[in-house]
Amino acid sequence: MYGASAHAFCKLEKCYARPPLIVDDHEIVRKGVRMLFPRNDSFEVCGEAQNGMDAIRMVLELSPDVVILDLSMPGMNGLETAAKMRLIAPSIRIVFFSAHEIPSTALWVGADAFVSKSSAPQDLVLTVNRVLQLGENPQAQQKSSSAHAGS
């Protein structure tokens, strides 16, 4: 549907192929995150899911480049959801967004980033931009990973 170099929207001077999917069991959180990514001619959220099963279905249907994913949800939690997403869409970028501390297992399921719900709103937007930029530039990702390994 989209070519490797196709860009359908831009925000904060970065361009992406597909808009993000928001997954959280609390509607107020989904609506608040959606407000951080306002709908206009150049950018909008592709969808919202309230649980892991809906999120998996939407990843298959919508093929988002990035998923903003809560860790703590009833039924299938965020870690299980992320692991299944990696199986069906290995290149998807996953940003955990949670009120809880990040468990070390989040890295095992392939999380690209974590943002605390107590962070400033722009931190989530900047993190989404960063993981998408790194996804398009594997050399930058290797440099970023090396820098974090030495920290």
Side-chain angles (χ1 to χ4, degrees), residues 65-139:
D65 282 340
V66 66
V67 175
I68 300 168
L69 180 61
D70 187 18
L71 277 176
S72 180
M73 297 182 293
M76 184 186 308
N77 69 35
L79 295 173
E80 295 167 315
T81 302
K84 289 183 188 249
M85 285 179 181
R86 282 282 180 231
L87 291 174
I88 61 171
S91 65
I92 199 166
R93 311 319 268 164
I94 298 171
V95 176
F96 280 122
F97 185 53
S98 182
H100 306 286
E101 291 295 316
I102 182 105
S104 60
T105 51
L107 296 176
W108 298 343
V109 297
D112 294 290
F114 175 84
V115 178
S116 171
K117 287 183 178 175
S118 64
S119 297
Q122 66 269 21
D123 289 349
L124 180 60
V125 175
L126 292 171
T127 299
V128 168
N129 287 339
R130 181 182 54 81
V131 300
L132 285 170
Q133 183 181 24
L134 291 176
E136 291 178 358
N137 185 352
Q139 290 178 333

